[in-house]
Amino acid sequence: MDNCIFCKIAKKEIPSTVEYEDDKVIAFRDIEPAAPVHVLIVPKVHIKNIKEINGDNADLLKDIHNAANKVAEKLGVAESGYRLITNCGEDAGQTVFHLHYHLVGGRKLSPRIL
Ligand code: 5GP
Ligand code: ZN
């Protein structure tokens, strides 16, 4: 989609530090990391957020979780633990309206989600 930052990153029009990629998903380091490991897992197809997930595109969630597992292994947090978060809409703090999951770890996270 024109003017979408994550579409541009997926097409390599904007540089990023890629940690995993396949034909459906790209995973790259967050530009403002909240923890030592902070990777964004992003489907290559433009979907606004999880509100747009339905019976026709839900297979993508499998691809996203597969990518998340690969990233967690690669970056050494698979055993220590990590959090996988997606923000949906303004109240959740979504700022980039292209579906993405934050994989955050590498330090002890707050025991509560908020
Ligand atoms: P949201 O708030 O929408 O859940 O998360 C958007 C995330 O994208 C933020 O954590 C922000 O730091 C990250 N981000 C925004 N622009 C860029 C960019 O150009 N490159 C990278 N690598 N991350 C970005
Ligand atoms: Zn997009």
Side-chain angles (χ1 to χ4, degrees):
M1 191 199 182
D2 292 352
N3 277 330
C4 169
I5 245 176
F6 287 177
C7 282
K8 287 182 178 164
I9 288 177
K11 285 188 267 174
K12 313 283 166 62
E13 292 169 9
I14 293 178
S16 70
T17 305
V18 176
E19 297 292 1
Y20 174 81
E21 182 171 13
D22 60 31
D23 55 332
K24 296 283 187 344
V25 176
I26 185 165
F28 52 90
R29 293 273 182 172
D30 195 291
I31 206 166
E32 279 185 60
V37 173
H38 188 171
V39 172
L40 301 172
I41 321 280
V42 178
K44 290 185 172 177
V45 64
H46 184 88
I47 291 174
K48 204 166 144 192
N49 54 37
I50 45 168
K51 205 164 140 264
E52 294 192 351
I53 294 287
N54 56 47
D56 294 330
N57 61 17
D59 260 10
L60 267 180
L61 298 180
K62 198 170 68 183
D63 301 316
I64 287 169
H65 277 266
N66 174 57
N69 285 349
K70 295 246 164 71
V71 169
E73 276 294 338
K74 180 183 176 193
L75 300 183
V77 297
E79 300 308 321
S80 53
Y82 55 92
R83 197 166 278 160
L84 196 59
I85 306 159
T86 189
N87 292 321
C88 181
E90 261 184 62
D91 276 3
Q94 186 176 6
T95 57
V96 177
F97 286 83
H98 178 133
L99 177 65
H100 55 280
Y101 284 70
H102 300 251
L103 189 155
V104 186
R107 68 167 167 80
K108 199 91 180 161
L109 301 171
S110 153
R112 295 174 62 89
I113 200 143
L114 298 175

